[in-house]
Amino acid sequence: MGRYAGQIIHNRELLGQYHDRMSAEAVGRHMPAVITLDDLAAMTAADTHGRRYETSPEGVLSVVPPPDSQHAVIATRLTLWFGLAGWPAEQLMQAAGVRIPGPDGDGGRIPDLTVWSRPQRDAVWLDVADLLLVVEILSRGSESIDQVAKVTEYAAAGIAQYWTVARDPAQTVTLYRLGTDGAYEETAKMPLAWLLQTAPRDHL
């Protein structure tokens, strides 16, 4: 590689680093004081890297990286499991926005899979009134949110069931059901392959 060609590549790398830094600074300068659900939808639509943007009802912003192929396969297997058992396609949604009510405002979460009691209206953020089940597939970096924050939020919202799928070799599924005290109780834990040998009606 010639001297000048090497200098051009070096300059391009510096320019890329400068552009990334300036983009991050621009986000910080223009980030609204209060992030609304409309802001979240716009941020997700504008993101060219496939990331999801979520907030807790308290306004804590989370940036969820795009899922990998294993994550996508797990979501597809569960969706097909429900579908083959006769669940209507209009009541099964992957990555649908859910409005999470809170005392000071609404948060917005985008679960990996949601199961509904009836078809929903066309909207970016859906209300939880008809939501039977939320499924979150754990990913690196999301475990604390999925296993702590969302457990509390989904229970407070009155969502009857919450399942998590771990990324261990067994892809362990943990099933939670809303108890009479308004908190989730763990009702079962099993490998995903075992769950798929049962019928959805055994759990819902």
Side-chain angles (χ1 to χ4, degrees):
M1 179 183 296
R3 173 185 175 188
Y4 295 107
Q7 186 63 36
I8 289 171
I9 291 174
H10 178 68
N11 289 343
R12 284 177 177 169
E13 291 174 349
L14 289 177
L15 181 61
Q17 293 171 7
Y18 174 78
H19 178 269
D20 291 343
R21 185 173 67 253
M22 292 304 295
S23 297
E25 291 174 359
V27 170
R29 283 197 305 270
H30 299 290
M31 183 71 70
V34 177
I35 300 174
T36 67
L37 294 185
D38 288 341
D39 294 329
L40 283 185
M43 292 161 67
T44 298
D47 193 296
T48 59
H49 301 288
R51 291 171 294 209
R52 302 177 193 169
Y53 295 82
E54 302 180 339
T55 60
S56 70
E58 295 77 24
V60 179
L61 177 66
S62 302
V63 182
V64 183
D68 60 18
S69 58
Q70 185 186 51
H71 185 288
V73 168
I74 293 171
T76 299
R77 292 182 70 187
L78 284 167
T79 303
L80 289 173
W81 177 62
F82 278 104
L84 291 172
W87 211 275
E90 295 81 9
Q91 295 170 222
L92 302 171
M93 299 186 200
Q94 292 188 29
V98 176
R99 184 185 299 271
I100 305 298
D104 301 317
D106 292 343
R109 295 298 186 184
I110 307 176
D112 294 309
L113 178 64
T114 50
V115 180
W116 304 79
S117 62
R118 62 180 180 179
Q120 297 298 291
R121 62 187 178 87
D122 185 15
V124 176
W125 301 102
L126 300 170
D127 295 327
V128 300
D130 301 317
L131 185 50
L132 299 177
L133 167 67
V134 166
V135 181
E136 295 283 8
I137 301 165
L138 306 182
S139 299
R140 184 177 300 172
S142 75
E143 292 93 339
S144 61
I145 295 176
D146 292 340
Q147 294 180 305
V148 180
K150 290 183 180 179
V151 171
T152 303
E153 291 176 21
Y154 293 158
I159 300 170
Q161 293 199 52
Y162 176 44
W163 299 356
T164 61
V165 185
R167 299 294 291 275
D168 57 359
Q171 298 176 344
T172 303
V173 185
T174 304
L175 285 63
Y176 300 94
R177 184 182 296 274
L178 199 61
T180 55
D181 61 351
Y184 281 126
E185 301 171 354
E186 182 179 319
T187 60
K189 181 177 287 190
M190 67 189 77
L192 177 61
W194 293 12
L195 176 71
L196 298 180
Q197 296 302 312
T198 65
R201 65 175 177 273
D202 295 338
H203 312 286
L204 294 179

